[in-house]
Amino acid sequence: TLPCTAQPSTIPSQVGPYALPEGATDFSGKWVLDHERSGDPTKMLIALGVPWAARKALAHCERHLLIEQDELSWTETISTSVVSKTSHLWLDGRPTTEVSPVDKSLVTKETYFEAQSGEAEGSCLVSRTRWPDGDKSQVTKRWLIDGGQTYFVVNTLVLGGGDDSTISQESYFNRED
């Protein structure tokens, strides 16, 4: 995976006014999941409590993303033949909340750009998600790679603590527009 070095104490909203970093990546566009290049999501879906029938349906269906990024505002619509979901995030570390589609709990996300080095181009966009009962948390890191033609996402789910309770999933989306 690519390096992102954000620590909780450096979340932008905790250190004052925030603007997009100079040269920050604009992720806007239409994207489709590349199943062959992406990892198997089964372990993560099981850990999140997604029922067997839904996991099987999601395993091979096309997954489309529409990302609309306007300065510090991010709207993402995920569409499949099974489900469609729209999420809104602020890119300055402001918490946003949404209902988990699986367990119906109210989860909190903080999203911000983190400058990074390595193979990816531009900036790394990090989201940290917390569940209210504290039994799990998730870090999502996003990059544009392959000259901006691939949207690369690494989801890391931590269950209750310990290295053996960490599940990572890599997803690659090809640009459609």
Side-chain angles (χ1 to χ4, degrees), residues 3-7 10 18 21 112-116 122-126 143:
C4 270
T5 57
Q7 299 298 317
T10 62
Y18 183 71
Y112 49 91
F113 277 95
E114 169 69 16
Q116 54 81 50
S123 296
C124 176
L125 186 62
V126 178
W143 297 267

Side-chain angles (χ1 to χ4, degrees), residues 155-167:
N155 283 306
T156 304
L157 181 67
V158 179
L159 303 166
D163 290 338
D164 60 338
S165 62
T166 300
I167 301 167

Side-chain angles (χ1 to χ4, degrees), residues 26-71:
D26 183 351
F27 291 86
S28 296
K30 294 179 182 179
W31 307 90
V32 63
L33 179 68
D34 184 335
H35 281 281
E36 288 185 23
R37 198 170 173 191
S38 298
D40 181 355
T42 303
K43 285 183 182 180
M44 185 165 294
L45 294 174
I46 290 170
L48 289 170
V50 175
W52 176 86
R55 291 195 313 267
K56 291 300 174 190
L58 287 171
H60 300 289
C61 68
E62 275 197 355
R63 192 172 319 156
H64 295 268
L65 290 178
L66 172 62
I67 298 173
E68 298 170 295
Q69 181 181 334
D70 183 17
E71 293 293 319

Side-chain angles (χ1 to χ4, degrees), residues 76-89:
E76 177 178 283
T77 301
I78 302 170
S79 301
T80 71
S81 58
V82 178
V83 67
S84 182
K85 180 183 175 211
T86 299
S87 300
H88 179 78
L89 303 171

Side-chain angles (χ1 to χ4, degrees), residues 95-165:
T96 57
T97 56
E98 68 180 22
V99 176
S100 166
V102 177
D103 64 10
K104 307 302 182 211
S105 62
L106 193 61
V107 298
T108 302
K109 272 187 193 179
E110 295 170 341
T111 303
Y112 49 91
F113 277 95
E114 169 69 16
Q116 54 81 50
S117 61
E119 301 171 26
E121 302 166 0
S123 296
C124 176
L125 186 62
V126 178
S127 292
R128 297 186 184 277
T129 305
R130 295 182 317 274
W131 275 257
D133 56 12
D135 71 336
K136 58 186 163 272
S137 63
Q138 186 170 11
V139 177
T140 303
K141 298 178 182 180
R142 306 164 179 90
W143 297 267
L144 289 187
I145 60 173
D146 301 332
Q149 296 304 302
T150 304
Y151 173 52
F152 176 54
V153 182
V154 177
N155 283 306
T156 304
L157 181 67
V158 179
L159 303 166
D163 290 338
D164 60 338
S165 62

